[in-house]
Structure formats: structure tokens, C-alpha cells
Amino acid sequence: MKSLRTPDDRFADLPGYAFAPNYIEVDDQDGGTLRVHYLDEGPADGPVVLAMHGEPSWSYLYRKIIPLLTGAGLRVIAPDLVGFGKSDKPSEKSDYTYARHVAWMQEAIIDHLDLQNVTFFGQDWGGLVGLRLVAANSHRFARVIVGNTGLPTGEGAPSEAFMAWQKFSQESPVFPIGQILQGATNTELTAGEVAAYDAPFPDETFKEGARIFPSLVPTSHDDPAAPDNVAAWEVLKQWEKPFICCFSDDDPVTAGGDAPFLKLVPGAQGQPHTTVTNAHHFFQEDGAPQIAQIIIDAVGGG
């Protein structure tokens, strides 16, 4: 497959993002390779937190949370999904599938870094991909923390809001990443922060991965990803380790999305589930201190 690589100068002097880059080449599942970027911050021997972003953001989303976690002695791994951030961006929508996203992260993060005793934190597509990793590598994970995400299997009709978002992602002549982030964030982002979310995408040709993501969400039983997600749910239904939900109070897209986890995951019972307050969909922007404390307390609490 053909892929694009965002020039490094697009990432120069981004506000709040003075983190060293790390790269790994992975099998692109089509006879070639892709370069995946990830952050690896904090003490090398500290408890590991795997923090995964969603659509259409990148690891910049965690810039406020990472220093709080590393300051508490945690090691934070924050990858850029293929098609986002500093990772390579296949140039055709058809290059992107749910299964490939899982395989790319499996090789780049789980296999390459050989992570153990991991605390997983996922939001949006970070949860859709990351929970598949948890299910496939349950022995590597000590606990799960999720917010504003899900693991859809095609059950039930998608909301009108989601279908409108899916339609916009496919049909809009311009896909304004930074404006999309601002629109789902209560905090007023600075012009520099909006530009940082736009930085990975010099022009519309770099956005095929971002545009196709909403269409990869399973919305029917015959979706190619539905059986794999059903299988992942079977693992989660046996998950006895801590499983904590921290959904925000002002996200119309994922409101109520914690209900299946609270009902079906044994490890969710008796956990300190929290609502992140005054926070929209991208609650890492709105509630970084609260989210960081939830993670720190979970790791410290066993």
C-alpha cells in the first residue's frame, strides 16, 4: 500500500508537547511496512499506563495528562494510530480496516514493547481498538479504565447523531480536524492547540484514515468486525480484574455507553466509577487533572 508521512517540521514547537518521539516499523498487512509513532514517558521501571486516543485526534490529546502521571511515577505509552499524528498514513480509505488497526497496534505496542501488568486507558476509537488488545492479551493487563467509548457489535440502531457524523465524514469537501476537536471540547482551545490537532494533516490527502473511521464502527451484525468484537466481549464477560468507567457528563455521542460494561463485566462490580464533570467528548482536554487522578488512584489501589 502507498502511505504518506507528515513532515517533521509540522510538529515543531507544538504547545505543551515537548515529548521525545519513538518509532517502530510494522507489517502493513499488504506486503510492506508502516512507521508507527508512540510516546514512552516516565520511569522505565514504573507501572505502565497504555493511553490510546481516538478519532480524529492523536497523542497530543494526552499532553496535559502525561506529566501528571509521570510525576506520580508511572510510565506512559501513548501511540498514534496509523493514519494519525506522527504515524504513517495509508493513502486509500480501503487500506484501513478495524482488523488492521488492531493488528498494527498489537505489533507496534504489545509485541514490540513486550508490556506487562498494564493499566489500559482508552477513549473513543482508543477503546474500540484497545479493548480488542485487552481481550487478546488479557494476561498482560492488570486493569482497564475507559471513558466515552464502547465495543460495538452491531446490536441496536446507531443514533441519529452518529449517523450524521458518519455522513459528514464521508461527504464534507473539507474535514476540519482542529475545528472538530474544538466542537467536541468544552474548553476553549488556543489557536496553537487547534493548529496542533491539524498538524498531522498538511492537506486533505492525509485524512483518509480520519475520514473512514466513523464508517468502520460496526452498526450491523453483518459488519466484518462484528464477530471479532463479539468474541472480545466474551473475554470481557469473564474479566475479574478491575474495570473502571469514567465517562464524561456532557458527551451526547457516548452518553450511557458505560451501561454494558457495568452490567456485563464482572470486574466492574464495586469499582470507583466516576463521572468526569464539565467535560465533552474529548474529556482529556476538559478534565485532565480528574482523569489523571482516576488513573493514579486505580494503579495505587491495586
Side-chain angles (χ1 to χ4, degrees):
M1 70 180 62
K2 296 179 181 178
S3 64
L4 304 172
R5 181 169 295 172
T6 305
D8 286 342
D9 60 10
R10 296 276 300 181
F11 301 105
D13 302 320
L14 299 184
Y17 193 82
F19 304 116
N22 301 274
Y23 297 101
I24 176 70
E25 297 279 339
V26 302
D27 181 357
D28 68 0
Q29 309 288 310
D30 191 39
T33 61
L34 291 166
R35 191 179 76 167
V36 173
H37 168 258
Y38 63 94
L39 301 179
D40 189 345
E41 295 289 321
D45 60 349
V48 176
V49 176
L50 173 59
M52 294 188 65
H53 75 85
E55 146 84 355
S57 64
W58 59 292
S59 56
Y60 187 78
L61 187 66
Y62 286 100
R63 72 193 180 286
K64 299 177 182 178
I65 294 175
I66 290 171
L68 300 175
L69 299 182
T70 59
L74 306 183
R75 177 189 176 192
V76 184
I77 309 295
D80 289 337
L81 295 173
V82 170
F84 298 84
K86 296 184 179 183
S87 291
D88 284 349
K89 299 164 184 69
S91 59
E92 300 292 332
K93 285 191 182 76
S94 59
D95 293 332
Y96 297 89
T97 67
Y98 197 147
R100 279 180 172 175
H101 274 294
V102 174
W104 290 329
M105 285 298 106
Q106 174 74 40
E107 182 180 352
I109 303 303
I110 304 300
D111 298 342
H112 169 60
L113 295 176
D114 190 26
L115 301 179
Q116 306 287 341
N117 200 34
V118 180
T119 296
F120 172 69
F121 182 88
Q123 178 258 348
D124 191 88
W125 264 96
L128 273 75
V129 174
L131 288 172
R132 288 272 296 274
L133 298 178
V134 170
N137 306 271
S138 58
H139 61 290
R140 293 181 180 269
F141 290 87
R143 64 190 59 79
V144 171
I145 308 171
V146 292
N148 299 354
T149 190
L151 189 61
T153 60
E155 289 278 353
S159 68
E160 289 186 14
F162 176 78
M163 295 308 292
W165 161 238
Q166 191 181 74
K167 186 174 188 290
F168 174 81
S169 70
Q170 295 306 293
E171 298 180 3
S172 174
V174 177
F175 199 57
I177 305 289
Q179 292 178 34
I180 291 168
L181 265 289
Q182 179 62 90
T185 301
N186 288 342
T187 305
E188 187 68 28
L189 302 176
T190 67
E193 290 171 328
V194 172
Y197 282 116
D198 284 325
F201 311 101
D203 60 50
E204 294 297 312
T205 65
F206 285 75
K207 300 179 183 178
E208 297 301 334
R211 280 186 178 272
I212 197 62
F213 241 157
S215 297
L216 298 183
V217 176
T219 56
S220 67
H221 289 297
D222 59 3
D223 186 284
D228 289 330
N229 279 12
V230 169
W233 265 112
E234 291 306 310
V235 176
L236 294 180
K237 288 176 182 178
Q238 307 299 319
W239 180 271
E240 301 280 354
K241 290 176 277 191
F243 193 107
I244 299 170
C245 292
C246 59
F247 283 60
S248 65
D249 62 355
D250 192 24
D251 179 15
V253 177
T254 64
D258 54 343
F261 298 120
L262 298 176
K263 178 182 179 181
L264 298 173
V265 181
Q269 304 306 309
Q271 294 299 322
H273 306 294
T274 308
T275 298
V276 180
T277 55
N278 302 314
H280 207 297
H281 182 64
F282 295 106
F283 64 173
Q284 297 94 327
E285 290 288 355
D286 297 328
Q290 188 179 357
I291 293 169
Q293 196 59 53
I294 290 167
I295 297 170
I296 291 166
D297 290 346
V299 175

